[in-house]
Amino acid sequence: MTESVLVVPGDGVGREVVPAAIEVLEAVADLEFVEADAGDRVKRETGEALPEETYRRAGEADATLFGAAGETAADVVLPLREAVDSFANVRPVRAYPGVDALRPETDLAFVRENTEGVYAGIESEVADGVTTLTRVITEEASRRIAEFGFDYAADNGYDDVTVAHKANVMRATDGRFLDGVAAVAEERAERDAAGADYEPALMDALATDLVVRPEEYGVVICPNLAGDVLSDLAAGLVGGLGLLPSANVGAGNGLFEPVHGSAPDIAGEGVANPAATVLSAAMLLEHLGEEEAAARVRTAVEGVLADGPRTPDLGGDASTAAVTDAIVARL
Ligand code: ATP
């Protein structure tokens, strides 16, 4: 049966890089694409950033490819991740040959808890001029992301697992997170499952160390906000946000999106780097069991990054369309 992919380009460069990724997907796989709307534009038109129909379709599709949302990002991406029943946000960060990376030795992946932490959205104004935010960390979600992270490390050949935390300050919440990871590691060691060794690391010191010695890191398991911030930091090590893909996976179907946002500063100019979204599409193919097609897409992207053409963020002067054509030509 042909698998169905919901396509949500969203705002800004999402409307340029998602069509580019579809062109690539069409060249390697037989998929059925259904397009739906979300983001700032649809909010201006209808009053709603995420139409009910888009939410429902994301739950029904075999996978969703999402571009970006501008001001309404939190109203779109968080519910969409929920619609596909995802609890893990996987963000691989690799330096590619030919790209002028600050740290060419970087090859790591963030596995970010996707459902709680400070992104649970529990904020209140408790008095005039005083606001609060509730940080939610549960044993269940901490154990679930630890199990996923250890499996991801074993399946993808990473020896080092690091767990980011700030349990010296957020004792109850990150203490719970660390306890969850420790319990899972112990159980895995007992049942001889792969990859139960890990290093806890204070997330602020980790930010420095990732810049200084990125080659020391493999999989970094993070609470929600830490994973968001540290992965953007790591983007700077390998040549920028135009290169970073991500997968929101877990219990159900997946949502695949570039790590970058709508990039309003370059939107509409036709110069956005499509690599992050095309590599997200490769993760989508892998999720659908199309490993060979995924590998072909990655090889084609790597070839174009090495030999050009390149978009301006990578020092070139090529358009999104020219880079996309070059990727497709290599398939
Ligand atoms: P948003 O409000 O949607 O998050 P933003 O500008 O705050 O937008 P990003 O969209 O992530 O955040 O962009 C951050 C920087 O990275 C911008 O300078 C942008 O031009 C650049 N950038 C992001 N995506 C790409 C891309 N695909 N190609 C080239 N540059 C990009």
Side-chain angles (χ1 to χ4, degrees), residues 97 297-310 330:
V297 170
R298 279 201 192 99
T299 306
V301 172
E302 283 166 22
V304 172
L305 289 174
D307 301 337
R310 299 193 185 95
R330 282 178 180 257

Side-chain angles (χ1 to χ4, degrees), residues 23-201:
E23 254 185 75
V24 173
L25 283 173
E26 278 175 338
V28 292
D30 183 22
L31 300 167
E32 185 203 342
F33 298 102
V34 180
E35 190 162 330
D37 230 339
D40 296 0
R41 208 175 29 83
V42 65
K43 179 158 186 188
R44 277 195 301 274
E45 285 163 14
T46 69
E48 242 184 338
L50 181 64
E52 177 62 35
E53 178 158 337
T54 305
Y55 181 89
R56 182 179 53 76
R57 285 187 166 177
E60 287 167 3
D62 293 304
T64 296
L65 184 66
F66 175 64
E71 302 280 306
T72 54
D75 304 322
V76 174
V77 187
L78 300 183
L80 271 184
R81 288 178 183 155
E82 177 197 288
V84 303
D85 212 3
S86 129
F87 62 81
N89 182 209
V90 182
R91 297 181 164 191
V93 184
R94 274 188 59 199
Y96 292 96
V99 174
D100 189 17
L102 201 59
R103 288 285 179 204
E105 1 15 32
T106 308
D107 179 0
L108 50 88
F110 291 91
V111 170
R112 164 190 173 201
E113 205 290 325
N114 218 1
T115 64
E116 42 187 44
V118 293
Y119 286 0
I122 310 171
E123 290 190 296
S124 0
E125 179 152 357
V126 289
D128 199 21
V130 184
T131 45
T132 61
L133 164 70
T134 301
R135 184 170 193 258
V136 181
I137 301 279
T138 65
E139 184 180 342
E140 189 191 348
S142 305
R143 291 177 62 103
R144 193 171 59 175
I145 198 69
E147 198 75 73
F148 183 96
F150 286 128
D151 280 342
Y152 184 87
D155 292 347
N156 292 277
Y158 288 108
D159 295 330
D160 299 303
V161 176
T162 306
V163 178
H165 72 95
K166 193 74 184 163
N168 54 341
V169 177
M170 298 185 280
R171 295 186 187 120
T173 50
D174 268 2
R176 165 89 49 215
F177 189 73
L178 277 184
D179 286 350
V181 177
V184 167
E186 210 168 292
E187 287 164 17
R188 288 177 74 96
E190 272 167 25
R191 65 172 199 266
D192 252 354
D197 287 337
Y198 69 97
E199 287 289 331

Side-chain angles (χ1 to χ4, degrees), residues 13 17 68-71 232 241-242 259-266 271-274 276 313:
V13 294
V17 291
E71 302 280 306
D232 266 36
L241 282 166
V259 169
H260 65 73
S262 64
D265 53 337
I266 57 166
V271 293
N273 189 344
D313 56 309

